[in-house]
């Protein structure tokens, strides 16, 4: 085994995972609350059309997160792999280039959305009744994209530097500001959708400023302006390891767009109409984000530990952190499954009132679409694990499975046979298929790690 005094290699793996995963889970939960809080206040003040409008705008959220993860996780993984191998100068360059790309992507995405706002929302499935609400909300929140991407991606870089608590604080402060301003702007100043949007971007700006402050006082290696100079080979290496989570989020965006259009079309052919399925689907997607934020938080907490020890040749510790992450993920997934199956009406009621058709559709959607929630931890943890150990291709394969290879075709095909019910049944079918593939690839990789460990200890 490699002899080192670095805490990543010496501290008990369970202690390290708690140290990194708990703040990461809290940070991800807080990040998901940006959407949940807006949805809660909008549902209570505006109602069904407001909920439907936030669902129409929702595909832009995973798009922002996609770039955050590409350069945040990709940069963090490269940084930790380089640090584990003792290449500090290279590690600093990866960090600087990741920061540069986070800011650049945020600015470019903001400009694109501002230029093509209305046709983009129509493409996302906006109906005539929902379009104005969606346009107001998205037009304002798009101004916060540079700050959202920097804050989200920067959190991964801060965790890689060994400060998961500060990463959590960045997200927590922004969410608290967002919550307070939501109540003030919507119920105090009666600003409606615009109030929710302004509250969101102000919270994102504050989170981003905290990230910038930390980067000016980086701990493990000194960061200078020279590290921000773009280097094509470094950016390509970051992109390679960040492609897996990027594809996963872009796939979510594509699926959400197709799903919105399918819900609108097949909803109009059903007794529910277009707006009820759009509103219910948006709420349930964001509730499910709470589960996924915890699972992703665990996988992010695992990442620096797995990356460093893989780079240092400590393969037994790599296996152990993967095993602990999967166990924690299953516990959270099973609890979530029970809540979704037993308390769907109570959960949906938090987001405002509606007709009996509204609650009937929501309950059915919860129980059917999220039926295999108890195995949904496998795909994100496995995908991030392969990214952490530098095996981007396997991570990309897993990122493509559930969303693109399984869910997207099912969303298109099943409604032809079953109507709007086909959209509900597409979810569990895709979840099960993705879980089985994840098990196969992880078991195979664990056997490889065991072989490397045996050779390394001889």
């Amino acid at each position: 085994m490699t002899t080192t005094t670095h805490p990543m290699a010496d501290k008990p793996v369970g202690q390290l995972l708690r140290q990194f995963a708990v703040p990461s889970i809290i940070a991800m939960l807080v990040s998901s609350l940006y959407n949940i809080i807006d949805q809660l206040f909008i549902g209570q003040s505006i109602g069904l059309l407001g909920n439907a409008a936030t669902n129409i705008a929702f595909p832009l959220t995973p798009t922002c997160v996609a770039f955050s993860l590409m350069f945040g996780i990709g940069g963090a993984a490269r940084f930790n792999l380089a640090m584990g191998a003792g290449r500090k100068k290279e590690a600093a360059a990866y960090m600087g280039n990741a920061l540069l790309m986070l800011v650049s992507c945020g600015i470019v995405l903001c400009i694109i959305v501002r230029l093509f706002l209305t046709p983009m929302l129509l493409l996302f499935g906006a109906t005539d009744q929902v379009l104005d609400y969606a346009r107001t909300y998205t037009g304002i929140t798009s101004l916060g994209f540079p700050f959202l991407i920097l804050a989200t991606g920067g959190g991964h870089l801060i965790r890689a530097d060994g400060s998961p608590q500060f990463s959590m604080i960045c997200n927590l402060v922004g969410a608290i500001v967002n919550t307070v301003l939501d109540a003030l702007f919507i119920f105090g100043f009666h600003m409606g959708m615009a109030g929710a949007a302004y509250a969101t971007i102000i919270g994102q700006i504050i989170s981003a400023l905290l990230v910038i402050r930390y980067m000016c006082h980086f701990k493990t290696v000194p960061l200078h302006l020279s590290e921000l100079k773009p280097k094509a080979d470094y950016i390509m290496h970051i992109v390679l390891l960040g492609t897996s989570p990027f594809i996963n989020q872009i796939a979510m965006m594509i699926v959400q767009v197709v799903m919105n259009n399918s819900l609108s079309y097949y909803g109009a052919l059903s007794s529910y109409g277009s707006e009820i399925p759009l509103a219910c689907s948006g709420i349930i997607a964001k509730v499910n984000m709470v589960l996924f934020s915890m699972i992703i938080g665990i996988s992010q907490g695992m990442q620096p530990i797995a990356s460093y020890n893989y780079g240092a040749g400590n393969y037994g510790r790599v296996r152990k952190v993967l095993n602990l992450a999967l166990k924690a993920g299953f516990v959270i997934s099973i609890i979530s499954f029970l809540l979704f199956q037993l308390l769907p009406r109570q959960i949906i009621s938090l987001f405002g009132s509606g007709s009996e058709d509204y609650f009937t559709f929501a309950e059915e959607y919860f129980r059917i679409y999220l039926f295999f929630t108890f195995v949904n931890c496998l795909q994100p943890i496995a995908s991030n694990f392969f990214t952490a150990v530098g095996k981007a291709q396997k991570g990309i394969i897993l990122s493509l499975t559930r969303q693109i290879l399984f869910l997207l075709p099912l969303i298109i095909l099943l409604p032809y046979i079953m109507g709007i019910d086909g959209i509900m049944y597409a979810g569990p079918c895709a979840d099960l298929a993705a879980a089985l593939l994840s098990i196969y690839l992880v078991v195979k990789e664990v056997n490889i790690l065991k072989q490397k460990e045996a050779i390394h200890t001889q």
Side-chain angles (χ1 to χ4, degrees):
M1 299 290 286
T2 301
T3 302
T4 177
T5 58
H6 196 285
M8 289 284 197
D10 291 341
K11 276 189 178 181
V13 172
Q15 182 182 340
L16 278 173
L17 185 60
R18 286 192 298 273
Q19 178 185 337
F20 281 88
V22 171
S24 182
I25 290 169
I26 294 172
M28 288 301 300
L29 279 171
V30 169
S31 180
S32 69
L33 285 177
Y34 275 114
N35 290 296
I36 291 284
I37 290 167
D38 281 352
Q39 193 88 54
L40 284 168
F41 281 107
I42 288 169
Q44 294 293 338
S45 62
I46 297 169
L48 185 144
L49 292 180
N51 281 330
T54 58
N55 188 32
I56 293 299
F58 183 66
L60 291 172
T61 298
T63 304
C64 289
V65 174
F67 288 103
S68 301
L69 298 186
M70 173 179 277
F71 296 106
I73 289 181
R78 284 295 178 190
F79 174 82
N80 287 127
L81 286 167
M83 289 293 290
R87 300 190 297 269
K88 291 189 176 183
K89 187 175 180 180
E90 181 182 318
Y94 278 124
M95 192 62 66
N97 275 254
L99 274 173
L100 174 67
M101 295 308 297
L102 287 170
V103 175
S104 301
C105 288
I107 294 170
V108 171
L109 187 60
C110 173
I111 292 171
I112 291 172
V113 172
R114 301 288 297 176
L115 289 175
F116 303 102
L117 180 59
T118 298
M120 189 175 292
L121 293 175
L122 291 171
L123 177 66
F124 289 173
T127 63
D128 291 339
Q129 289 181 293
V130 172
L131 181 59
D132 285 342
Y133 290 105
R135 191 159 40 202
T136 298
Y137 184 78
T138 311
I140 297 169
T141 54
S142 63
L143 297 173
F145 287 171
F147 304 100
L148 171 60
I149 291 175
L150 176 60
T152 306
H156 297 283
L157 304 180
I158 292 171
R159 277 190 292 274
D161 190 45
S163 299
Q165 291 84 3
F166 193 87
S167 175
M168 174 190 70
I169 289 170
C170 292
N171 285 278
L172 186 59
V173 170
I176 291 172
V177 170
N178 182 23
T179 304
V180 172
L181 293 181
D182 259 329
L184 179 63
F185 291 166
I186 294 176
F187 295 115
F189 297 158
H190 305 289
M191 294 172 65
M193 297 293 288
Y198 281 121
T200 297
I201 65 171
I202 292 171
Q204 291 165 353
I205 289 169
I206 291 174
S207 294
L209 290 175
L210 289 172
V211 169
I212 293 170
R213 178 186 177 277
Y214 182 91
M215 291 299 171
C216 293
H217 304 87
F218 211 69
K219 290 195 315 183
T220 51
V221 293
L223 290 182
H224 306 104
L225 288 176
S226 59
E227 266 88 46
L228 294 173
K229 183 179 179 181
K231 298 179 180 178
D233 55 338
Y234 281 76
I235 293 173
M236 286 179 64
H237 288 146
I238 291 170
V239 168
L240 181 63
L241 289 191
T243 296
S244 170
F246 173 84
I247 289 176
N248 195 42
Q249 292 295 320
I250 291 298
M252 285 176 60
M253 183 272 290
I254 294 170
V255 167
Q256 190 65 42
V257 171
V258 174
M259 182 176 288
N260 283 350
N261 282 279
S262 295
L263 288 166
S264 180
Y265 177 79
Y266 289 102
L269 299 177
S270 73
S271 60
Y272 300 109
S274 295
E275 282 72 32
I276 284 177
L278 281 173
C280 292
S281 173
I283 292 170
I284 290 165
K286 289 170 185 176
V287 170
N288 196 35
M289 276 181 63
V290 175
L291 161 65
F292 267 94
S293 67
M294 290 187 280
I295 300 301
I296 292 171
I298 291 170
S299 72
Q300 289 173 356
M302 171 192 69
Q303 181 269 315
I305 306 165
S307 292
Y308 186 95
N309 283 283
Y310 193 87
N314 299 325
Y315 302 114
R317 290 172 65 84
V318 176
R319 284 195 300 111
K320 189 168 184 180
V321 74
L322 172 62
N323 185 46
L324 289 173
L326 287 170
K327 286 180 178 178
F330 270 115
V331 170
I332 293 170
S333 297
I334 291 168
I335 293 171
S336 300
F337 167 78
L338 294 174
L339 289 173
F340 295 161
Q341 294 298 313
L342 299 176
L343 302 172
R345 192 180 187 97
Q346 290 84 343
I347 295 172
I348 205 75
S349 296
L350 296 173
F351 298 88
S353 60
S355 65
E356 189 56 35
D357 280 345
Y358 171 78
F359 284 107
T360 298
F361 183 85
E363 288 182 54
E364 191 175 10
Y365 199 107
F366 251 119
R367 291 194 171 109
I368 296 174
Y369 191 80
L370 300 179
F371 182 78
F372 277 114
T373 292
F374 57 89
V375 295
N376 276 354
C377 63
L378 284 165
Q379 189 263 350
I381 290 176
S383 178
N384 208 25
F385 169 73
F386 286 117
T387 298
V389 298
K391 298 192 175 183
Q393 282 186 326
K394 290 183 179 179
I396 292 169
I397 290 170
L398 284 176
S399 294
L400 285 170
T401 52
R402 182 187 183 273
Q403 302 292 338
I404 298 297
L405 299 183
F406 301 141
L407 184 56
L408 187 60
L410 289 170
I411 288 174
I412 295 171
L413 294 174
L414 288 184
Y416 278 112
I417 304 168
M418 306 171 65
I420 198 164
D421 288 350
I423 299 173
M424 300 186 202
Y425 284 99
C429 293
D431 289 340
L432 180 60
L436 292 174
L437 180 59
S438 298
I439 291 170
Y440 170 75
L441 290 177
V442 167
V443 169
K444 189 175 180 181
E445 187 63 28
V446 166
N447 289 332
I448 293 172
L449 286 172
K450 286 179 180 178
Q451 293 172 8
K452 287 185 175 183
E453 185 182 359
I455 294 171
H456 203 68
T457 54
Q458 286 177 355

